[in-house]
Amino acid sequence: MVEKDKQIQYLLNTLPPITLEQMSGVKLMNRTDTKYVTTKSRLIELLQMAKDEYFVQTIHSFNICPYRTTYFDTDLHSMYMQHHNKYARRTKVRVRTYLADNDQTFLEVKNKTNHGRTKKKRIEITSLDAAQQTEGVEELVKQKTGFSFHTMHKVIQNEFDRITLVNKAKTERLTIDFNIRFHNFETGNEASSDQLVIFELKRDGNVYSPVCSLLRDLHIHVMGFSKCCIGMVWTDPHLKSNNFKMKVRRLAKLNAEEHERDNNTSKAS
């Protein structure tokens, strides 16, 4: 695992950097999202293939940036159940901290529309603990979710490493999340993503994407992955999760196959 992370870092250092200021036109706050799940070995292959097509976002000299996200929900897990029950329209409320950018923190509300688009609104806050006291937060949450933020509590927190690639035309962002660690506030349980890597392609509509053909060549397939929902399922055995069970099995199989490849490679060498 450590060796793969070193390879990932080496390959990222060969990509041209792009700063947050240079990325200002690629915010994509109203966008389509397509997620893919793969492994670290496939990520290494993709980075080798994509080096001439993409910039890598760099913040204070970091091109792998640590994030922390805390999700809130009601006592009845209303927003989790929206996703579990496959509602087309669903919402999430979270506090995200950019650990590589002076711990800059935002309260964010994400709305998925019934047309498959994701809309995000956010308010900068000083810290996670200050969320409920920040002006405008209650109004934003109630307007976008129908719930009062004061009736919500922390359910799951994750920390992960993120790579952000931007195509040369600056029409899309590809975020790559790995080394995800979960902590469940309700059960106290923890879990991690191990060898899994989550890609999320974010773009306005169906504009040309250089990475799509690369993903097909590597047999990396579309697969939804909600860090909030999967983290809750992995850390709460009593949570209703019937509609996630098949996905959880696919993730476990993908992870196990990666470990088997590693073992075979180790034996061969």
Side-chain angles (χ1 to χ4, degrees):
M1 181 172 171
V2 173
E3 185 58 36
K4 288 179 185 175
D5 284 5
K6 288 181 179 178
Q7 290 182 60
I8 291 166
Q9 182 66 76
Y10 171 78
L11 290 166
L12 288 175
N13 291 342
T14 68
L15 270 62
I18 186 171
T19 66
L20 286 173
E21 292 75 19
Q22 293 169 322
M23 285 178 56
S24 59
V26 204
K27 289 180 180 177
L28 304 179
M29 301 298 277
N30 180 4
R31 67 195 187 221
T32 57
D33 298 341
T34 309
K35 290 185 180 180
Y36 306 79
V37 181
T38 187
T39 61
K40 288 186 176 182
S41 293
R42 287 288 181 265
L43 169 57
I44 290 168
E45 293 181 68
L46 180 77
L47 291 174
Q48 291 169 333
M49 298 165 66
K51 61 183 180 180
D52 296 325
E53 300 280 356
Y54 285 86
F55 301 103
V56 60
Q57 175 186 289
T58 304
I59 302 175
H60 303 309
S61 78
F62 294 102
N63 49 30
I64 299 178
C65 297
Y67 285 53
R68 178 187 300 126
T69 310
T70 305
Y71 290 89
F72 290 76
D73 209 335
T74 66
D75 290 342
L76 296 176
H77 297 138
S78 303
M79 284 171 281
Y80 167 85
M81 291 306 300
Q82 288 174 358
H83 202 136
H84 177 274
N85 292 340
K86 301 182 179 180
Y87 290 0
R89 297 170 63 94
R90 52 185 186 259
T91 58
K92 287 194 174 67
V93 177
R94 69 190 190 188
V95 170
R96 170 159 287 177
T97 300
Y98 298 83
L99 300 173
D101 196 16
N102 301 314
D103 287 356
Q104 189 175 29
T105 303
F106 294 90
L107 182 286
E108 301 180 339
V109 181
K110 289 181 68 177
N111 290 86
K112 192 75 169 277
T113 74
N114 53 7
H115 298 294
R117 297 189 73 85
T118 300
K119 298 182 179 181
K120 183 169 71 173
K121 295 288 186 181
R122 66 185 189 177
I123 294 176
E124 186 166 6
I125 60 179
T126 56
S127 68
L128 171 63
D129 293 336
Q132 286 194 332
Q133 289 75 44
T134 301
E135 183 179 357
V137 164
E138 172 67 13
E139 291 77 8
L140 174 65
V141 172
K142 192 146 194 179
Q143 178 190 8
K144 296 297 181 181
T145 71
F147 299 109
S148 168
F149 189 55
H150 295 291
T151 65
M152 298 180 187
H153 63 279
K154 295 180 288 187
V155 288
I156 191 85
Q157 184 176 82
N158 60 56
E159 293 191 6
F160 58 93
D161 295 324
R162 169 167 287 185
I163 300 162
T164 301
L165 302 184
V166 179
N167 66 328
K168 294 291 179 73
K170 298 183 182 178
T171 58
E172 70 178 29
R173 284 189 284 123
L174 180 71
T175 60
I176 303 167
D177 297 342
F178 58 107
N179 294 338
I180 309 171
R181 290 88 62 198
F182 297 98
H183 172 75
N184 189 307
F185 291 101
E186 297 177 317
T187 66
N189 293 334
E190 298 186 346
S192 78
S193 63
D194 198 13
Q195 294 293 303
L196 299 179
V197 177
I198 297 89
F199 293 157
E200 187 168 8
L201 180 60
K202 306 173 184 183
R203 52 183 171 160
D204 278 323
N206 291 317
V207 297
Y208 169 71
S209 168
V211 81
C212 282
S213 60
L214 300 181
L215 292 168
R216 284 193 297 269
D217 291 344
L218 291 169
H219 305 291
I220 297 172
H221 305 295
V222 173
M223 183 194 302
F225 188 105
S226 163
K227 286 191 282 293
C228 174
C229 294
I230 295 299
M232 289 179 70
V233 171
W234 279 352
T235 56
D236 188 347
H238 302 296
L239 192 65
K240 183 177 181 180
S241 60
N242 295 351
N243 288 337
F244 290 126
K245 284 183 178 178
M246 183 177 294
K247 183 167 293 182
V248 167
R249 285 196 292 268
R250 288 175 66 191
L251 294 170
K253 183 174 183 289
L254 190 62
N255 199 58
E257 288 171 349
E258 179 79 349
H259 279 291
E260 185 176 356
R261 278 193 294 267
D262 288 347
N263 290 336
N264 291 339
T265 300
S266 178
K267 290 175 183 177
S269 59

